[in-house]
Amino acid sequence: MNGSCESRAGQLSPFDYMSQRMQDVTGDGGVLKEVLRPGSGSVIPSTASVSVHYSAYSEYTDRPFDSNVQRDVPRFMKLGRDITLLGMELAIRTMRKCEFARFLFKPMYAFGSMGCPPRIPENATVMFEIEILHFLDTLESDEYFGLSQEEQIIYPLAKLLKVASTERGFGNYFFQKQRYEDAKDQYKKALSVFAHRQEADEVQKQQVQSSKLLLYLNLSLISLKLNAPGRALVYGERALQIESKNPKALFRCGQACMLMLEYDRSKNFLLRAQKLEPFNPDVNSALVKLDSCYREWNLKEKEMCSKMFAAWEPAAVKD
């Protein structure tokens, strides 16, 4: 970025030269954009929470004065609340999932006439490179969790299901990033929205049960990842109370029992899962592993019994 470039208009600074190929986002030249990698899906709504990687540069410098790219999983920021830089807020609202773009922010959209010495001079235009990692529209979630318990109880079911889905979406994202504790917290938060609900309508009851089933399956899996097989079994059995022939629930209960050395129970769960999905490689592999664990356990039991009986043998009587 050091140096300058010539044009017919004369000497241009690096940012001036860059701006010639950029799109005017705000209409007043205050925020300019260049897409480096297109995203997918719809534009991020103003009610979303977003996770981004960004690096910010002053002109004539190669090193960012601010960056979070070293963080594998940056925190989610709520648009309209958590982002203090106006230019960054407006920039993100033009982007899509997985998009990577470069922006120039004029002082009025960045750090103003005062700048932020010594890193950012007065009246400085700054460049931001922003990558959208993930976002979720949290309109209903923000609304719901701002209500009193009495108001939550009568919250419309359609919107409540959206709240549960949104919080589960956060959990799935953290799970993919192997942030298992964070994922567990989000799944439990999603489940909590049903704690005080009593739907009278059968169709609505089924909708709630379907949502809870997914969350119990998620919590069972995350408990296995966190080496908590007892909790995994509890959540798996709750899923089976909703759907007794759910192969995922049976499989996870089988895995949990195997880790708890309850091999007979494990075999029962896994065989039921296999009956439903005979060609499921995970279930079949678990049954092979269970057989190996069971044989090894039997050998250890026999060895221990042999040692115990040997210790109890009376000493030979001498004449």
Short mmCIF file of all heavy atoms in Angstrom, two decimals, residues 273-285:
data_model
loop_
_atom_site.label_atom_id
_atom_site.label_comp_id
_atom_site.label_asym_id
_atom_site.label_seq_id
_atom_site.Cartn_x
_atom_site.Cartn_y
_atom_site.Cartn_z
N ALA A 273 -31.71 -49.35 16.98
CA ALA A 273 -31.33 -48.37 15.95
C ALA A 273 -31.00 -49.09 14.65
O ALA A 273 -31.38 -48.64 13.56
CB ALA A 273 -30.13 -47.55 16.42
N GLN A 274 -30.30 -50.22 14.74
CA GLN A 274 -29.93 -50.98 13.55
C GLN A 274 -31.16 -51.52 12.83
O GLN A 274 -31.19 -51.59 11.59
CB GLN A 274 -28.99 -52.12 13.92
CG GLN A 274 -28.41 -52.85 12.72
CD GLN A 274 -27.62 -54.07 13.14
OE1 GLN A 274 -28.10 -54.91 13.88
NE2 GLN A 274 -26.37 -54.15 12.65
N LYS A 275 -32.16 -51.92 13.59
CA LYS A 275 -33.39 -52.43 12.98
C LYS A 275 -34.06 -51.35 12.14
O LYS A 275 -34.64 -51.65 11.08
CB LYS A 275 -34.34 -52.90 14.08
CG LYS A 275 -35.58 -53.59 13.56
CD LYS A 275 -36.44 -54.14 14.68
CE LYS A 275 -37.69 -54.83 14.15
NZ LYS A 275 -38.54 -55.37 15.25
N LEU A 276 -33.97 -50.11 12.58
CA LEU A 276 -34.57 -48.99 11.84
C LEU A 276 -33.69 -48.58 10.66
O LEU A 276 -34.21 -48.19 9.61
CB LEU A 276 -34.78 -47.80 12.79
CG LEU A 276 -35.80 -48.00 13.90
CD1 LEU A 276 -35.69 -46.89 14.94
CD2 LEU A 276 -37.21 -48.04 13.33
N GLU A 277 -32.37 -48.63 10.85
CA GLU A 277 -31.44 -48.23 9.79
C GLU A 277 -30.34 -49.29 9.66
O GLU A 277 -29.23 -49.12 10.18
CB GLU A 277 -30.84 -46.85 10.11
CG GLU A 277 -31.85 -45.72 10.10
CD GLU A 277 -31.21 -44.35 10.30
OE1 GLU A 277 -30.00 -44.30 10.66
OE2 GLU A 277 -31.90 -43.34 10.10
N PRO A 278 -30.65 -50.41 8.98
CA PRO A 278 -29.72 -51.54 8.93
C PRO A 278 -28.37 -51.23 8.29
O PRO A 278 -27.39 -51.90 8.57
CB PRO A 278 -30.48 -52.60 8.12
CG PRO A 278 -31.80 -52.04 7.78
CD PRO A 278 -31.90 -50.65 8.27
N PHE A 279 -28.33 -50.23 7.43
CA PHE A 279 -27.09 -49.94 6.71
C PHE A 279 -26.41 -48.67 7.21
O PHE A 279 -25.54 -48.12 6.53
CB PHE A 279 -27.37 -49.83 5.20
CG PHE A 279 -28.00 -51.07 4.63
CD1 PHE A 279 -29.34 -51.06 4.25
CD2 PHE A 279 -27.28 -52.24 4.50
CE1 PHE A 279 -29.93 -52.21 3.73
CE2 PHE A 279 -27.87 -53.39 3.99
CZ PHE A 279 -29.19 -53.38 3.61
N ASN A 280 -26.80 -48.22 8.39
CA ASN A 280 -26.16 -47.04 8.97
C ASN A 280 -24.75 -47.42 9.43
O ASN A 280 -24.59 -48.22 10.36
CB ASN A 280 -26.99 -46.53 10.15
CG ASN A 280 -26.45 -45.22 10.72
OD1 ASN A 280 -25.26 -45.08 10.96
ND2 ASN A 280 -27.35 -44.26 10.94
N PRO A 281 -23.69 -46.86 8.82
CA PRO A 281 -22.32 -47.28 9.16
C PRO A 281 -21.93 -46.94 10.60
O PRO A 281 -21.16 -47.68 11.22
CB PRO A 281 -21.45 -46.52 8.15
CG PRO A 281 -22.29 -45.36 7.70
CD PRO A 281 -23.71 -45.83 7.77
N ASP A 282 -22.46 -45.83 11.13
CA ASP A 282 -22.11 -45.45 12.51
C ASP A 282 -22.69 -46.45 13.51
O ASP A 282 -22.01 -46.85 14.47
CB ASP A 282 -22.63 -44.04 12.81
CG ASP A 282 -21.93 -42.98 11.99
OD1 ASP A 282 -20.73 -43.18 11.68
OD2 ASP A 282 -22.56 -41.97 11.65
N VAL A 283 -23.93 -46.85 13.28
CA VAL A 283 -24.57 -47.82 14.17
C VAL A 283 -23.85 -49.16 14.09
O VAL A 283 -23.54 -49.79 15.12
CB VAL A 283 -26.06 -47.99 13.83
CG1 VAL A 283 -26.69 -49.11 14.66
CG2 VAL A 283 -26.81 -46.68 14.06
N ASN A 284 -23.55 -49.62 12.89
CA ASN A 284 -22.89 -50.91 12.72
C ASN A 284 -21.48 -50.90 13.31
O ASN A 284 -21.05 -51.88 13.93
CB ASN A 284 -22.85 -51.29 11.24
CG ASN A 284 -24.23 -51.60 10.69
OD1 ASN A 284 -25.11 -52.07 11.42
ND2 ASN A 284 -24.45 -51.35 9.42
N SER A 285 -20.78 -49.79 13.16
CA SER A 285 -19.44 -49.68 13.75
C SER A 285 -19.52 -49.69 15.27
O SER A 285 -18.67 -50.28 15.94
CB SER A 285 -18.76 -48.39 13.28
OG SER A 285 -18.52 -48.42 11.89
#
